[in-house]
Amino acid sequence: MDRAKVVKKRVFFPHAMYLDTAEHFCAELDRKEYVSWYDLMACMTTTAFSVEAILNTFGQIAIKDFGDFESCTPLAKMRILCEELEINFEKSRSPFNSILKLLKLRNKFAHPKYKVLSFESDELPLEEAQALYHEGEILHELETALKPELVKRSLKAVKEFELMLKRAIGDNLPRQSSEWKLLINGE
């Protein structure tokens, strides 16, 4: 009776699923007449998740004992990784400035605070007061923070950073591929 063993191997880059999702939602922004806040939120959060996944993935590839830095902030990981790969890290320069803004925004969304919103105008002529009254709901800064330009710029910056890391790692970057084998009778 023949015996067989299946061997499968695949390189998995966790940041790719986040970047692909962010690209999908950012593309949705251009396909619709109405920009959905939900698409903006999905694009922003998945782009932010991809930053941490990029740092962890490329950190493990490029830095021996990267696990020692696993609990560091994304900013610290970015500095350490850039230093190791000899990438000029300047917080005020692109793509880093856009990524840092994205991470700050992500933190605000991840840790929102309860707040009672209020508004009272000065006394106005009746017509102006009526127009102001009909403008709509009072919005929190989180509700107004997301803009299509912001999420698109953030995604572009993250993709640029990913490319910088790939180039710096060069031939040490594992190839994204799958390998399948069926070994019959131990061969």
Side-chain angles (χ1 to χ4, degrees), residues 48-168:
F49 288 170
S50 72
V51 172
E52 295 204 43
I54 285 170
L55 293 169
N56 291 335
T57 299
F58 291 104
Q60 288 174 340
I61 293 167
I63 299 174
K64 185 180 181 201
D65 298 324
F66 182 74
D68 295 347
F69 306 106
E70 199 89 45
S71 62
C72 290
T73 66
L75 175 59
K77 288 179 189 180
M78 194 178 306
R79 280 191 179 139
I80 292 165
L81 188 55
C82 287
E83 184 178 310
E84 178 69 26
L85 296 174
E86 298 178 358
I87 294 172
N88 184 17
F89 175 77
E90 291 180 36
K91 290 195 298 188
S92 62
R93 190 181 65 132
S94 178
F96 307 109
N97 56 357
S98 293
I99 293 171
L100 295 176
K101 286 178 189 172
L102 170 68
L103 293 174
K104 285 180 184 177
L105 184 62
R106 175 239 170 258
N107 288 341
K108 287 181 181 181
F109 273 89
H111 309 286
K113 305 291 185 255
Y114 167 82
K115 186 175 183 180
V116 175
L117 304 174
S118 64
F119 171 81
E120 184 174 330
S121 75
D122 291 332
E123 199 166 299
L124 303 167
L126 178 59
E127 287 143 6
E128 288 179 40
Q130 287 173 328
L132 189 58
Y133 177 82
H134 290 290
E135 278 184 7
E137 194 62 69
I138 302 172
L139 298 176
H140 188 276
E141 67 183 64
L142 292 179
E143 295 170 306
T144 60
L146 293 180
K147 304 277 187 246
E149 303 77 31
L150 171 69
V151 296
K152 288 177 184 180
R153 185 173 56 250
S154 298
L155 178 60
K156 181 180 176 197
V158 172
K159 289 172 70 173
E160 183 181 333
F161 180 57
E162 177 201 29
L163 187 58
M164 290 169 77
L165 294 174
K166 284 181 175 180
R167 286 181 178 151

